[in-house]
RNA sequence: UCGGGGAUGGUGUAAUUGGCAACACAACUGGUUCUGGUCCAGUCAUUGGGGGUUCAAGUCCUCCUCCCCGAACCA
């Protein structure tokens, strides 16, 4: 239920058409100039060799929202041109993550669907004298490519005749040549200052199984030779990608110009990818964290992958709003993770029901609490508001009696300055219960309190005193006789440095040692039995917590509440 | 070294395209409150540097500096 509300696209969501950025301005200009007769079409083009993370979310939101704002369509296309690393399980995971984020692709396509067309176009380039088979090794080709400020030299095979090229290329296709023995190259310009244009490789021989085309191909197209053509075939108008492809744009355009395409050609626009403080968002780095066992898996809640954030309780809508808010630019930048967290808090403050849970329990005894006719402490049901931000969420009944659990942090034998909570002689409010005054505490040999004693004021049922007196603090509690046992995972930043790896070059060096703390002796309010998997609730005064999808009574801390007391202590 | 891109507070994004630098996060003050939450009020930048054009420059010109990307048969 919660899952559904969180995931469906809220129509009031701020996909503000007035919002302006360089991409949207360009799209608007294209529309005004009537440059595309087919309307706006975009696509999100992941390679199915890893899991989606928050950085991809930015691209997804951009691609889909631009299509939505212009009444266009947005597709999901898998750029599956490298069979050695790709797999169906990534396809499934990516589709799942995109849907969870709140988007339904207008179609799901695969670059591999175009292998035949691409092959035919390659033959066309060969016959036009614009592509040739090179028999050299990868090393030789790399050598000849030259360097920055240093022109390349032409391959001795560059001027092979079209017929010989065609014949060789067909042999490559038919598996008559071994891996690495030959490639098909575009014949462009070995002197060009843009390295992308120095006769790039179009096809390489790979005698491997492709997860979709299986064993039908022995040669596979490179990214550049597949991407723009995929866009063109699908009718994409605006092909958005990240900054590092800027130099590839010339090649993207060159390829399209050589082909007999119908309709206006798509064009590529690059934007800066999303980076966040205290985390990493590169496939390689994430993979390393998982494979080296620094985290428990791709869905470890400390990771910035979408499946991890989902498990941790981040609402999809908060991620979407965050992505819309940060906008798009061409400036390399790194956003504070706090901004993302603030979107999560804002969303959850509105939607998460309040519950009480004691993470580090300390026994509290109300010494003057009444007994019933059997000499047992009376159990009273108190009515608590489920969400002060949303009356429609109603109230619930919570048992209250003589012995309660309170947070260890909420009692001090000797209170420091500005400590408003319980200490001998002070009066506080037990949320939704009564005002209680501390009369003392029993301590163990080490001097640690093990049982706090209080008296309650029977006139203060519900939490307010008829004489109007105020207390400085309200603390949460769970009735000892009705509490359920639970466990909670508290997550901290995975990295202790704002820019992981900045000084050493290797983020692993900046890994936070205790980025997760599991508390197993938690006392939870009875109603938490009913928490549905992945439901996010607020534990009052502590933070937002997501119920584990499998383990009952186990919660993941999504994000803590802002904590004024912690702040004050830090200042000192 | 060559080519491409970029530079606005602590952070990120804006600025009617030449007209009083806005918004959010963070931080700090204070107020409200049955969550030290939420909410409310306030403080926090003369736009990388120099020169120029102009009544007027973050926006235009010019020189400089610094940062990012690019030499896979990866994407």
């Amino acid at each position: 239920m919660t899952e559904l509300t969180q995931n469906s696209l809220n129509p009031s969501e701020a996909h503000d058409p007035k919002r302006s950025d360089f991409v949207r301005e360009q799209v608007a200009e294209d529309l005004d100039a009537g440059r595309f007769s087919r309307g706006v079409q975009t696509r999100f083009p992941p390679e199915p060799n890893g899991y989606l993370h928050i950085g991809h979310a930015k691209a997804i939101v951009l691609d889909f929202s631009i299509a939505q704002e212009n009444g266009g369509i947005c597709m999901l296309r898998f750029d599956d041109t490298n069979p050695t690393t790709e797999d169906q399980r990534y396809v499934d995971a990516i589709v799942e993550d995109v849907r969870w984020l709140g988007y339904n692709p207008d179609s799901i396509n695969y670059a591999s669907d175009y292998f035949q067309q691409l092959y035919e176009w390659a033959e066309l380039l060969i016959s036009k004298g614009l592509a040739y088979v090179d028999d050299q090794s990868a090393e030789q080709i790399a050598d000849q490519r030259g360097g920055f400020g240093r022109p390349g030299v032409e391959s001795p095979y560059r001027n092979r005749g079209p017929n010989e090229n065609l014949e060789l290329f067909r042999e490559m296709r038919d598996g008559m040549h071994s891996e690495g023995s030959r490639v098909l190259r575009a014949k462009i310009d070995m002197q060009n200052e843009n390295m992308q244009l120095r006769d790039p490789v179009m096809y390489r021989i790979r005698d491997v199984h492709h997860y979709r085309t299986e064993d039908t191909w022995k040669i596979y197209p490179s990214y550049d030779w597949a991407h723009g053509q995929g866009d063109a075939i699908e009718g994409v108008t605006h092909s958005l990608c990240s900054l590092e492809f800027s130099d590839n744009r010339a090649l993207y355009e060159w390829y399209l110009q050589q082909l007999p395409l119908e309709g206006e050609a798509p064009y590529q626009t690059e934007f800066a990818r999303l980076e966040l403080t205290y985390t990493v968002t590169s496939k390689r780095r994430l993979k390393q964290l998982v494979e080296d066992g620094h985290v428990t898996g791709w869905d470890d809640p400390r990771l910035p992958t979408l499946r991890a954030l989902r498990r941790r309780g981040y609402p999809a809508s908060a991620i979407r709003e965050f992505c819309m808010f940060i906008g798009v630019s061409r400036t390399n930048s790194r956003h504070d993770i706090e901004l993302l967290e603030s979107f999560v808090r804002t969303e959850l403050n509105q939607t998460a029901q309040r519950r009480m849970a004691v993470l580090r329990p300390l026994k509290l005894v109300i010494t003057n609490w009444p007994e019933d006719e059997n000499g047992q402490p009376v159990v009273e049901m108190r009515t608590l508001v489920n969400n002060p931000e949303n009356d429609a969420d109603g109230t619930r009944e919570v048992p209250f009696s003589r012995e309660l659990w309170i947070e260890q942090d909420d009692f001090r034998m000797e209170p420091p300055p500005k400590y408003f909570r319980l200490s001998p002689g002070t009066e506080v409010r037990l949320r939704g219960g009564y005002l209680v005054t501390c009369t003392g505490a029993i301590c163990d040999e080490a001097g640690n309190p093990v049982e706090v004693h209080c008296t309650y004021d029977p006139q203060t049922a519900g939490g307010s005193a008829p004489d109007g007196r105020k207390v400085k603090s309200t603390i949460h509690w769970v009735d000892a006789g009705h509490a359920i046992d639970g466990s909670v995972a508290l997550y901290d930043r995975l990295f202790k440095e704002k820019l992981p790896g900045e000084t050493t070059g290797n983020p692993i060096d900046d890994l936070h040692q205790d980025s997760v703390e599991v508390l197993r002796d938690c006392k939870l309010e009875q109603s938490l039995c009913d928490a549905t998997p992945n439901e996010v609730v607020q534990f009052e005064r502590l933070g937002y917590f997501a119920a584990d999808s499998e383990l009952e009574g186990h919660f993941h801390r999504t994000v803590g509440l802002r904590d004024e007391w912690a702040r004050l202590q830090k200042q000192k």
Side-chain angles (χ1 to χ4, degrees):
Chain A
M1 208 55 201
T2 316
E3 185 88 356
L4 255 183
T5 4
Q6 282 177 4
N7 295 352
S8 59
L9 203 52
N10 178 356
S12 69
E13 213 167 277
H15 282 196
D16 184 355
K18 293 194 302 288
R19 143 185 306 286
S20 162
D21 55 61
F22 80 100
V23 179
R24 271 169 250 257
E25 275 171 22
Q26 183 57 246
V27 172
E29 196 187 309
D30 290 340
L31 253 24
D32 283 351
R35 279 200 264 273
F36 292 103
S37 50
R38 57 187 181 278
V40 173
Q41 291 193 39
T42 58
R43 99 274 91 114
F44 173 62
E47 185 190 11
N49 70 347
Y51 294 91
L52 262 24
H53 55 69
I54 185 76
H56 293 112
K58 173 181 178 176
I60 295 170
V61 169
L62 217 214
D63 284 319
F64 279 90
S65 63
I66 282 189
Q68 278 172 7
E69 288 163 19
N70 294 287
I73 64 174
C74 180
M75 300 161 283
L76 176 58
R77 182 179 71 240
F78 290 96
D79 264 351
D80 52 358
T81 55
N82 186 358
T84 51
T85 58
E86 297 153 3
D87 196 272
Q88 183 64 38
R89 75 190 161 106
Y90 295 119
V91 169
D92 297 338
I94 288 168
V95 169
E96 182 182 44
D97 287 348
V98 169
R99 295 229 162 97
W100 173 75
L101 235 204
Y103 298 101
N104 270 308
D106 287 284
S107 64
I108 297 178
N109 311 320
Y110 301 81
S112 53
D113 288 345
Y114 315 136
F115 281 176
Q116 182 57 36
Q117 174 67 265
L118 254 11
Y119 176 83
E120 286 164 22
W121 278 336
E123 288 207 347
L124 177 68
L125 287 211
I126 290 171
S127 50
K128 286 167 77 175
L130 293 171
Y132 62 96
V133 172
D134 195 328
D135 300 356
Q136 299 180 103
S137 68
E139 298 71 46
Q140 284 171 305
I141 291 175
D143 270 1
Q144 289 168 5
R145 199 168 337 255
F148 304 143
R150 193 163 37 92
V153 296
E154 299 186 350
S155 164
Y157 300 96
R158 196 169 197 264
N159 295 311
R160 228 149 16 197
N163 291 336
E164 188 187 353
N165 280 321
L166 216 44
E167 194 178 327
L168 283 166
F169 186 48
R170 286 175 181 162
E171 288 175 8
M172 283 166 62
R173 174 198 61 188
D174 297 337
M176 295 168 67
H177 299 287
S178 61
E179 276 193 30
S181 62
R182 269 168 249 263
V183 289
L184 183 73
R185 289 227 260 170
K187 190 170 172 180
I188 308 181
D189 176 9
M190 289 308 289
Q191 265 78 255
N192 203 294
E193 67 283 349
N194 181 348
M195 303 289 292
Q196 302 296 329
L197 264 18
R198 321 249 261 226
D199 291 11
V201 168
M202 294 170 66
Y203 276 94
R204 64 297 208 196
I205 300 169
R206 278 293 127 84
D207 191 10
V208 293
H209 185 86
H210 184 285
Y211 76 101
R212 294 194 86 239
T213 60
E214 306 195 325
D215 300 308
T216 58
W217 293 93
K218 301 284 183 252
I219 54 173
Y220 291 92
S222 64
Y223 161 84
D224 291 290
W225 175 244
H227 195 89
Q229 286 76 288
D231 285 344
I233 292 168
E234 291 167 5
V236 167
T237 55
H238 301 268
S239 184
L240 310 178
C241 65
S242 45
L243 245 29
E244 66 269 28
F245 290 98
S246 297
D247 289 345
N248 297 56
R249 187 175 63 241
L251 182 53
Y252 180 103
E253 288 168 356
W254 189 90
Y255 279 143
L256 292 181
Q257 277 162 17
Q258 316 312 322
L259 302 173
L261 299 172
E262 288 171 29
E264 307 90 344
Y267 74 91
Q268 173 183 305
T269 300
E270 313 87 26
F271 62 91
R273 60 167 67 233
L274 170 64
E275 305 272 9
L276 289 175
T277 54
Y278 296 105
T279 192
V280 292
T281 46
S282 93
K283 253 178 211 172
R284 200 186 119 227
R285 249 68 240 227
L286 291 171
K287 202 168 179 218
Q288 190 182 4
L289 289 170
V290 174
E291 289 180 350
D292 296 352
H294 295 112
V295 294
T296 58
W298 287 98
D299 64 349
D300 186 304
R302 293 167 292 177
L303 251 25
T305 55
L306 294 184
R307 39 222 314 116
L309 297 178
R310 180 190 322 156
R311 188 160 167 231
R312 183 163 175 166
Y314 276 41
S317 61
I319 296 174
R320 262 183 267 129
E321 303 239 30
F322 167 75
C323 291
M324 286 304 285
F325 183 82
I326 59 173
V328 223
S329 76
R330 294 179 63 88
T331 312
N332 292 314
S333 60
R334 198 178 278 251
H335 282 81
D336 285 334
I337 188 97
E338 288 88 348
L339 181 62
L340 208 209
E341 290 175 342
S342 98
F343 274 87
V344 171
R345 286 199 192 93
T346 301
E347 171 71 20
L348 258 17
N349 180 49
Q350 295 301 318
T351 56
Q353 295 217 355
R354 316 285 126 125
R355 293 292 184 269
M356 292 199 287
V358 173
L359 269 31
R360 296 176 176 89
L362 170 63
K363 180 69 71 70
L364 179 137
V365 179
I366 300 173
T367 51
N368 63 337
W369 186 254
E371 293 179 350
D372 63 17
E373 54 278 9
N374 300 320
Q376 295 299 312
V378 168
V379 175
E380 197 175 302
M381 296 309 283
R382 306 296 326 162
T383 303
L384 278 286
V385 171
N386 282 331
N387 184 354
E389 305 294 323
N390 181 11
D391 292 341
D393 280 337
T395 60
R396 67 187 187 285
E397 300 296 300
V398 182
F400 182 102
S401 188
R402 181 170 187 271
E403 295 195 4
L404 308 168
W405 294 111
I406 63 167
E407 211 69 59
Q408 286 170 19
D409 268 358
D410 288 341
F411 174 80
R412 286 296 160 80
M413 216 49 205
E414 289 165 28
K418 295 201 178 154
Y419 185 84
F420 301 148
R421 281 106 99 148
L422 258 191
S423 56
T426 64
E427 184 175 45
V428 302
R429 174 166 36 239
L430 294 174
R431 163 133 257 215
Y434 290 87
L435 300 188
V436 295
T437 302
C438 179
T439 54
I442 299 174
C443 295
D444 62 16
E445 310 83 61
N448 299 314
V450 290
E451 190 173 293
V452 178
H453 289 175
C454 286
T455 55
Y456 86 114
D457 178 351
Q459 302 299 303
T460 59
S464 40
D467 62 9
R469 71 179 188 277
K470 303 283 187 200
V471 291
K472 297 273 278 256
S473 185
T474 299
I475 67 174
H476 61 277
W477 50 273
V478 174
D479 183 71
H482 301 265
I484 55 173
D485 292 326
S487 58
V488 150
L490 302 178
Y491 301 105
D492 205 333
R493 328 235 105 122
L494 222 202
F495 295 93
K496 55 180 187 285
E497 294 298 323
K498 198 166 194 170
L499 312 174
E502 208 210 9
T503 47
T504 66
N506 185 6
I508 302 296
D509 298 332
D510 293 329
L511 229 30
H512 193 143
Q513 289 317 311
D514 310 298
S515 51
V516 59
E517 181 182 8
V518 179
L519 303 177
R520 301 185 186 285
D521 191 25
C522 307
K523 303 297 181 184
L524 312 179
E525 172 184 325
Q526 226 173 11
S527 67
L528 253 8
C529 283
D530 305 330
T532 53
N534 297 323
E535 181 180 357
V536 182
V537 296
Q538 183 194 102
F539 288 171
E540 293 221 37
R541 304 208 305 135
L542 299 174
Y544 299 98
F545 290 78
D548 189 76
S549 50
E550 286 154 23
L551 224 188
E552 204 172 306
H554 184 63
F555 289 81
H556 304 271
R557 181 168 66 190
T558 309
V559 63
L561 253 25
R562 219 170 252 115
D563 189 344
E564 180 81 359
W565 174 238
R567 206 200 96 226
L568 283 175
Q569 290 187 303
K570 226 183 196 167
Q571 275 181 353
K572 289 198 295 184

